[in-house]
Amino acid sequence: MTAPLHETHAGGSGRRVPDNQQGMRRRNLSRVMHSVNAEGPLSRAAVASRIGLTRAAVSTLVDELIRSGLLEELGPERPGRVGRPGSALALSGRGPAGIGAEIGVDHLAVCAVDLRGEVRARAVRHGTNRGRAPEPVIDELTVLVRRVVAEAEGEGLWAAGLAVAVPGLVSGDARTVVRAPNLDWHDTDLGALLPGGLPVTVDNEANFGGLAELWLGDGTPSDFLHVSAEIGIGGAVVVDGRLLRGTRGFAGELGHVPVRPEGPDCACGGRGCLEQYAGEEAVLRAAGLEPGSHGVEFLAEQAAAGDKDVHRALRGAGTALGIALTGAVNLLDPETVVLGGALAALAPWLLPSLERELARRTAGPACAVTVSRLGSEGPLLGAAHSVVRAVLDDPATVGVRP
Amino acid sequence: MTAPLHETHAGGSGRRVPDNQQGMRRRNLSRVMHSVNAEGPLSRAAVASRIGLTRAAVSTLVDELIRSGLLEELGPERPGRVGRPGSALALSGRGPAGIGAEIGVDHLAVCAVDLRGEVRARAVRHGTNRGRAPEPVIDELTVLVRRVVAEAEGEGLWAAGLAVAVPGLVSGDARTVVRAPNLDWHDTDLGALLPGGLPVTVDNEANFGGLAELWLGDGTPSDFLHVSAEIGIGGAVVVDGRLLRGTRGFAGELGHVPVRPEGPDCACGGRGCLEQYAGEEAVLRAAGLEPGSHGVEFLAEQAAAGDKDVHRALRGAGTALGIALTGAVNLLDPETVVLGGALAALAPWLLPSLERELARRTAGPACAVTVSRLGSEGPLLGAAHSVVRAVLDDPATVGVRP
């Protein structure tokens, strides 16, 4: 199957290719890239038969893509196939790369992913960003971005764009952080602070996590609800293979769904939100631990070691997740719920109470709950892959070396 | 603006027109119908300029649509316009009609709507259907359908299809009621019971109510959450002008979103669902009235007369709606929430507590809440109009007299 031609995959720029001769060429270049991506390596003849164009038309498109450094010829196909051997085409491992970045509450991370989906460079800096002003954080992130871009360039790649995952709500302009309560950032234009010279997209980390699951997950369906956590709890709603963004780009805010309406006050202004029961701080407190003293790895270690207090705290978090997810499943009727981010590592202790709650509350057969194999890598990989997908969707413009 | 060409409007059959010569003709017939529907009466020349086809091509299409009884010529356009006067085209008032039906817990209703959107015939039978077997209910409904079809035929119309709204979950086959707790129907194949000879579609009443709001509402945006009530509470999620149906067709089940997780048991198997606080029975009980003794009209009358107990009960229902809607707004980020069905009549007493709860709990600016002017007519009109929309979307096949 090749990808839809008239719309880019969510997470990219969402730009529409015009419906004229030039637009048709651009869409056909994208069809070639998507067919090699889905089934490659493929000969020109195989590409032609898959996308329904003549061999001659495909050759013209392929030559252009090779000249731009987006496709490579691997040499003659192995013998034994029917017909004259053709040279197999593959996505280039030395073409454009997607640069993904993540601003976490406790870390910064950057990686470069090539067109084949391989991570070719990465850099991480640990240390809290809570309460820091945006400028010094972005300065540090920029250092990491430059290091990763330089490393990728050393391998013959070039940066096609930078996508940044943040733990907060991002406006429809894909550059302004409207509200990131765990960083204490408000109405911050990251586009103005990030390094120039590269197309930049900023999005919510849960959105990138959900897209990573859609693009890289193991048998992930095209309708699912992705639930993830770092310090807060995020959600991403994927319907028919597309991210549901909402009117202002704020859809998927699962962390502030009311679980117990008279429950503890939440930083969002509400009460008894899911984050007050299943967020990292709430779980640490419920286990009798100092919030901020430990992270998710510690909780997972203690749970694995049989710590009864941690077990009880995670059971409570699973129950709260089950209640909030019941509402979400009733509203959205997804095929599955996928636990990602930090929740993946804690899944063995969250799932029993979560699934029990969901099963007993949802009308009809309960929705299946699965665990992401990407875990906390999801948002960073989703960010980098969003740039790669944008190149596949519109190679003629997005994939052109600046 | 003409409608999208490659997909039918939600609520119809969802059929796709094939991408060949014949498909192109069918799509162009639809573009003519939609442009006359949106802006008519229009001359042939005006249609041609709006849809970007030659005057000659449009004339061929228009002649076919007139022969099929879908378009009418009104005679020469009024003078004063530039150019040679053309004959104005309008949708036919004597062509196909959509037959809508509603199986309510307390009534049955049927109506016929012509291509112009006018209700041309209707029939209603009051009396409870709770606990009755499907067969006698459908027999009575069939009598009403026959009466309405005969009346429409008397006006020169003919029935293009029958769409039935039911207060329950309907499977993806658009004929089987999976579960209608307030009727006590389970896995009931209505398609087998309804009159033959007409294409039949069955859908959830809240879905038809949401579609009616989308098609007929006053300035309704293309992203909204529609909340309605008869005995139960239903929801419909419209994203980008399309109904969100979910994997199994069950999306929008707002009535069973948990509001207070340790609240009263609900017939769905859950506890503290929205219906336990804002459903008709719950409101009657909270006002000290016998459930089943009175309906929504009585509540609205008492509230208008200043009944303090009814005011308090509706305030509580508004609070519960606000809590459930906070979760829904956080997940979906719609442009507005529209109160429809019986909730529209009660809105003056529900809205203050509903809006207060929503404003104080939702992150960011609160979502606007509006009241449907269709009220409890929504599901019935949505059903009838879904047939009319299907004719506009594919006049060559759906609009052909059987």
Side-chain angles (χ1 to χ4, degrees):
Chain A
M1 277 285 291
T2 52
L5 304 177
H6 293 268
E7 53 185 7
T8 61
H9 287 265
S13 59
R15 95 189 67 200
R16 275 184 171 267
V17 177
D19 201 5
N20 55 22
Q21 196 72 19
Q22 183 60 13
M24 186 146 68
R25 188 186 124 263
R26 282 166 63 186
R27 283 194 295 277
N28 283 333
L29 288 168
S30 172
R31 296 168 76 183
V32 172
M33 292 294 284
H34 274 291
S35 88
V36 174
N37 180 50
E39 298 186 74
L42 289 177
S43 68
R44 283 169 162 80
V47 171
S49 90
R50 272 161 187 74
I51 67 178
L53 291 177
T54 65
R55 167 79 206 259
V58 165
S59 263
T60 308
L61 297 165
V62 163
D63 290 344
E64 178 175 344
L65 291 167
I66 290 174
R67 272 198 310 276
S68 312
L70 303 185
L71 285 183
E72 284 179 16
E73 281 185 296
L74 299 181
E77 281 190 308
R78 64 182 185 285
R81 294 216 180 166
V82 176
R84 178 167 76 82
S87 179
L89 299 165
L91 296 178
S92 172
R94 287 188 307 281
I99 310 298
E102 185 181 11
I103 302 174
V105 178
D106 289 331
H107 77 294
L108 298 174
V110 179
C111 76
V113 167
D114 67 19
L115 288 184
R116 297 170 178 180
E118 280 173 42
V119 176
R120 300 287 291 276
R122 64 156 64 228
V124 180
R125 189 195 64 75
H126 292 284
T128 187
N129 298 313
R130 197 186 285 265
R132 295 179 71 200
E135 293 76 8
V137 174
I138 299 300
D139 285 350
E140 286 182 11
L141 188 74
T142 300
V143 171
L144 300 185
V145 168
R146 296 228 159 93
R147 192 188 307 162
V148 163
V149 168
E151 197 176 329
E153 284 173 354
E155 302 213 14
L157 294 158
W158 53 272
L162 168 64
V164 184
V166 294
L169 297 179
V170 177
S171 87
D173 67 2
R175 51 183 284 166
T176 305
V177 176
V178 176
R179 206 161 47 83
N182 291 315
L183 295 172
D184 204 16
W185 292 2
H186 298 271
D187 302 307
T188 306
D189 180 1
L190 292 192
L193 301 175
L194 284 159
L198 270 183
V200 169
T201 308
V202 180
D203 202 351
N204 176 269
E205 58 165 6
N207 282 349
F208 278 132
L211 289 170
E213 201 57 41
L214 175 67
W215 294 330
L216 311 172
D218 228 358
T220 309
S222 58
D223 290 82
F224 64 97
L225 173 61
H226 187 256
V227 190
S228 58
E230 200 205 15
I231 303 296
I233 289 181
V237 180
V238 174
V239 176
D240 222 2
R242 300 179 63 189
L243 192 65
L244 188 142
R245 292 194 168 273
T247 307
R248 300 163 301 175
F250 297 176
E253 267 286 89
L254 195 75
H256 299 284
V257 167
V259 167
R260 292 191 176 87
E262 278 83 39
D265 287 340
C266 184
C268 77
R271 293 183 66 179
C273 300
L274 176 60
E275 245 172 62
Q276 295 302 314
Y277 301 96
E280 188 180 297
E281 291 191 4
V283 174
L284 286 167
R285 238 192 320 263
L289 298 163
E290 185 68 29
S293 61
H294 301 285
V296 166
E297 295 82 28
F298 180 80
L299 283 172
E301 280 165 28
Q302 291 303 103
D307 185 319
K308 291 278 177 287
D309 290 331
V310 171
H311 285 187
R312 188 176 27 76
L314 290 173
R315 207 156 51 228
T319 299
L321 278 162
I323 294 167
L325 287 172
T326 297
V329 166
N330 270 317
L331 275 170
L332 301 165
D333 185 21
E335 191 165 332
T336 59
V337 170
V338 183
L339 295 190
L343 295 180
L346 300 173
W349 304 280
L350 292 169
L351 274 179
S353 54
L354 189 165
E355 287 182 327
R356 187 173 53 240
E357 208 65 32
L358 195 57
R360 98 175 158 200
R361 287 183 188 273
T362 33
C367 183
V369 182
T370 63
V371 179
S372 167
R373 63 172 185 81
L374 304 171
S376 54
E377 288 287 282
L380 182 65
L381 290 175
H385 276 268
S386 75
V387 178
V388 169
R389 303 297 297 204
V391 173
L392 297 180
D393 287 342
D394 195 4
T397 55
V398 187
V400 173
R401 188 190 287 264
Chain B
M1 279 284 292
T2 51
L5 304 177
H6 292 270
E7 52 185 8
T8 61
H9 287 266
S13 60
R15 92 190 69 197
R16 274 182 171 269
V17 177
D19 201 5
N20 54 22
Q21 197 72 19
Q22 182 60 13
M24 187 146 67
R25 188 186 124 264
R26 282 167 62 187
R27 282 195 295 278
N28 283 334
L29 288 168
S30 171
R31 294 169 76 183
V32 172
M33 292 294 285
H34 274 290
S35 88
V36 175
N37 180 49
E39 298 187 73
L42 290 175
S43 68
R44 284 167 161 81
V47 171
S49 91
R50 271 159 186 77
I51 68 177
L53 292 177
T54 64
R55 167 81 207 256
V58 165
S59 263
T60 308
L61 296 165
V62 163
D63 290 343
E64 179 174 344
L65 291 167
I66 290 174
R67 271 197 310 277
S68 311
L70 303 185
L71 285 184
E72 285 179 15
E73 279 184 298
L74 299 181
E77 280 190 308
R78 65 180 184 283
R81 295 216 179 167
V82 175
R84 177 167 76 83
S87 180
L89 299 164
L91 296 178
S92 172
R94 286 188 305 281
I99 310 298
E102 185 181 10
I103 302 175
V105 178
D106 289 330
H107 77 295
L108 299 174
V110 179
C111 75
V113 167
D114 66 20
L115 288 183
R116 297 171 177 178
E118 279 173 42
V119 176
R120 301 287 291 275
R122 63 156 64 228
V124 180
R125 191 196 63 76
H126 293 282
T128 188
N129 298 312
R130 196 186 285 266
R132 295 179 71 198
E135 292 76 8
V137 174
I138 299 299
D139 284 349
E140 286 183 10
L141 188 74
T142 299
V143 170
L144 300 184
V145 168
R146 297 228 159 94
R147 192 187 308 163
V148 164
V149 168
E151 196 176 330
E153 284 174 354
E155 302 213 15
L157 295 157
W158 52 272
L162 169 65
V164 184
V166 295
L169 297 178
V170 177
S171 88
D173 67 3
R175 52 183 282 165
T176 305
V177 176
V178 176
R179 205 161 47 83
N182 291 317
L183 295 172
D184 204 17
W185 293 2
H186 298 270
D187 302 308
T188 306
D189 180 0
L190 292 193
L193 301 176
L194 285 159
L198 271 182
V200 170
T201 308
V202 179
D203 202 349
N204 176 269
E205 57 165 5
N207 283 348
F208 278 131
L211 289 170
E213 202 56 41
L214 175 67
W215 294 329
L216 311 172
D218 227 0
T220 309
S222 58
D223 290 81
F224 65 96
L225 173 61
H226 187 256
V227 190
S228 59
E230 200 206 14
I231 303 296
I233 289 181
V237 180
V238 174
V239 177
D240 224 1
R242 299 179 64 190
L243 193 66
L244 188 141
R245 292 194 168 273
T247 308
R248 300 164 299 175
F250 296 176
E253 265 286 89
L254 195 76
H256 299 284
V257 167
V259 167
R260 294 193 175 87
E262 278 82 40
D265 286 340
C266 183
C268 77
R271 293 183 65 177
C273 300
L274 176 60
E275 246 172 59
Q276 295 302 314
Y277 300 96
E280 187 181 298
E281 290 191 6
V283 174
L284 286 167
R285 238 191 319 263
L289 298 163
E290 186 69 29
S293 61
H294 301 285
V296 166
E297 295 81 29
F298 179 79
L299 283 171
E301 281 164 26
Q302 291 303 103
D307 185 321
K308 292 276 177 287
D309 290 331
V310 170
H311 284 186
R312 187 176 27 76
L314 291 173
R315 206 155 52 228
T319 300
L321 278 162
I323 294 167
L325 287 171
T326 297
V329 167
N330 270 316
L331 275 170
L332 301 166
D333 185 21
E335 192 166 332
T336 58
V337 170
V338 182
L339 296 191
L343 295 179
L346 300 173
W349 304 279
L350 292 169
L351 274 179
S353 55
L354 189 165
E355 287 182 327
R356 187 173 53 240
E357 208 65 31
L358 195 57
R360 97 175 161 201
R361 288 183 189 273
T362 32
C367 183
V369 181
T370 62
V371 178
S372 167
R373 64 173 184 81
L374 304 172
S376 54
E377 288 287 281
L380 181 65
L381 290 175
H385 275 268
S386 75
V387 177
V388 169
R389 303 296 297 202
V391 173
L392 297 180
D393 287 342
D394 195 3
T397 56
V398 186
V400 173
R401 189 191 285 262

